[in-house]
Amino acid sequence: ASSCRTDSLSAAFKNHTEAEVLTERYTKLCTHYGVKATRNNKGVAHENGAIEGPNGHLKRKIEQQLLLRDSRDFTDLKQYRNFINVIPVI
């Protein structure tokens, strides 16, 4: 299974109930996609960069491939998925 590392998101919640609902929904999402969710340690700011860095790399790779493709238009979801699946991730 793949893994997904996130920060604790404590600043994103208005109250404890909202945090519980979102946590439950996130757990179900990860289970659905077979992803193991982990999170960084509260108060360790440099860990956020380690989490967000790979996301930025992927976004840049997708952007570069879209530029090379010379179009952001796709006829359907299958065509978009095929496009994403051939982007080298290394």
Side-chain angles (χ1 to χ4, degrees):
S2 299
S3 65
C4 180
R5 191 152 174 91
T6 61
D7 68 14
S8 66
L9 298 175
S10 58
F13 301 115
K14 295 178 187 169
N15 60 53
H16 186 69
T17 302
E18 186 179 343
E20 288 178 357
V21 170
L22 186 58
T23 300
E24 181 181 339
R25 291 176 65 196
Y26 183 69
T27 300
K28 287 179 180 179
L29 176 75
C30 290
T31 300
H32 175 77
Y33 285 105
V35 173
K36 179 183 176 189
T38 62
R39 69 177 172 188
N40 66 347
N41 299 299
K42 290 182 182 179
V44 185
H46 73 275
E47 289 185 356
N48 283 342
I51 293 165
E52 294 168 8
N55 184 42
H57 298 309
L58 177 61
K59 288 168 117 178
R60 281 187 290 283
K61 283 184 176 264
I62 292 171
E63 177 65 23
Q64 290 170 351
Q65 293 299 313
L66 286 167
L67 289 169
L68 290 171
R69 186 175 182 267
D70 200 31
S71 174
R72 294 176 180 271
D73 297 328
F74 296 90
T75 57
D76 55 25
L77 183 57
K78 183 179 178 183
Q79 185 185 32
Y80 175 73
R81 285 181 174 160
N82 289 336
F83 165 77
I84 291 296
N85 286 334
V86 298
I87 295 176
V89 291
I90 296 174

